[in-house]
Amino acid sequence: MLIHPQFDPVAFSLGPLSVRWYGLMYLLAFAQFIALGRFRLARGGAPLSHEQLDDLLFHGMLGVILGGRLGQVLFYEPGFYLAHPLEILAVWKGGMSFHGGFLGVLLAMAVWARKHGRNWLGITDFIAPLVPLGLAAGRLGNFINGELWGRIAGENLPWAMVFPQAGDLLPRHPSQLYHIGLEGLLLFAVLWLSTVKTRPRGFASGLFLVGYGICRFATEFFREPDVGIFGHSYSISMGQWLSLPMIAVGLFLLLRTRQPAQSSA
């Protein structure tokens, strides 16, 4: 049985300014997005310039931060934030909903596509393979903070881990690492390899939706459920409820690609 290392959430301090690992993970996610995006551009992966890619990232950052925070407020803790509205602004403390951030990015990409006269689905196809490693970075931030711990596991599980933040000394699944492995590394490999050659418009977006939805649904069985607006459930969690529409829409997009192909982006 392992014990969570209890990392200091502050990576370093510059005078009165404390830089947290959680924030650094977001910077890492954005940096890898640019690096992978430029790699794809260099291979002729999309008719975008480097400047447009940077602008795309800026819009995406706004979508992630605003949508992620609002998703946390609306989907998971509406009562708390209604009683403490100023806490909504305290993003450095953590508390970001993936599904809220995902909706925020979709809206941001729609604004960007309209601004530049591009096809929205073509843009989401381009960014889909660039996202999973960023998700892995965010989950690493969760692990460093010792938050979003897993459900209680059997003592015979070699990698079971005690998270003191959980308020007990029971061995639990290190669910943050499961998230990193499935919706981060595995999903990245599937999307990246599946989009090496040109695919019909909507294929990459649909594959991301189905892949993430399935991975998230699976990992939620090992994660201590969040309370959410539907209450606290060990059968179907809030994260699983929110993943079901993703899977449904993704399947629709994938089935659509079986029709006569359209050019992407």
Side-chain angles (χ1 to χ4, degrees):
M1 184 174 64
L2 307 173
I3 299 177
H4 184 266
Q6 296 294 281
F7 299 103
D8 186 341
V10 176
F12 59 89
S13 298
L14 296 173
L17 176 65
S18 295
V19 179
R20 294 175 174 265
W21 285 108
Y22 193 76
L24 288 178
M25 292 302 103
Y26 270 80
L27 290 179
L28 178 61
F30 297 142
Q32 67 83 35
F33 178 92
I34 285 292
L36 292 177
R38 290 186 174 178
F39 178 80
R40 276 280 165 102
L41 292 182
R43 298 183 59 193
L48 299 174
S49 66
H50 286 183
E51 291 74 18
Q52 288 176 325
L53 179 64
D54 293 342
D55 190 42
L56 193 67
L57 174 62
F58 175 74
H59 281 71
M61 288 170 60
L62 291 179
V64 166
I65 295 172
L66 297 178
R69 194 57 169 173
L70 288 177
Q72 183 71 20
V73 172
L74 298 175
F75 297 149
Y76 292 99
E77 301 179 273
F80 172 80
Y81 288 108
L82 183 62
H84 306 86
L86 292 180
E87 285 293 313
I88 296 175
L89 304 177
V91 295
W92 57 88
K93 294 183 179 180
M96 301 285 280
S97 161
F98 164 79
H99 294 92
F102 173 72
L103 293 175
V105 168
L106 289 183
L107 179 59
M109 294 303 98
V111 171
W112 190 92
R114 182 179 179 85
K115 173 183 173 183
H116 292 274
R118 300 301 176 91
N119 180 275
W120 177 55
L121 197 55
I123 295 302
T124 59
D125 279 346
F126 174 72
I127 69 171
L130 314 182
V131 171
L133 289 185
L135 299 180
R139 294 305 184 190
L140 180 57
N142 294 144
F143 181 75
I144 291 173
N145 283 349
E147 59 191 5
L148 305 184
W149 49 79
R151 303 186 188 193
I152 297 172
E155 294 184 1
N156 293 329
L157 187 69
W159 57 86
M161 184 173 291
V162 172
F163 290 88
Q165 293 92 332
D168 56 46
L169 297 178
L170 298 174
R172 295 175 176 272
H173 289 279
S175 56
Q176 311 95 326
L177 304 183
Y178 299 174
H179 283 295
I180 292 173
L182 289 181
E183 68 199 43
L185 302 180
L186 176 62
L187 185 57
F188 168 74
V190 170
L191 279 165
W192 192 265
L193 295 176
S194 298
T195 56
V196 169
K197 63 179 183 179
T198 302
R199 295 286 189 172
R201 181 180 295 158
F203 175 84
S205 299
L207 187 59
F208 175 86
L209 290 169
V210 172
Y212 179 86
I214 291 175
C215 289
R216 179 65 183 266
F217 201 93
T219 52
E220 284 283 326
F221 284 117
F222 302 96
R223 171 175 161 177
E224 187 70 20
D226 299 295
V227 175
I229 58 175
F230 297 142
H232 191 278
S233 172
Y234 277 87
S235 53
I236 300 294
S237 70
M238 190 67 207
Q240 289 172 319
W241 279 117
L242 293 172
S243 296
L244 289 175
M246 295 182 67
I247 297 172
V249 174
L251 287 173
F252 169 76
L253 289 176
L254 289 177
L255 289 174
R256 235 174 124 249
T257 64
R258 297 176 66 87
Q259 299 174 0
Q262 307 172 56
S263 59
S264 186

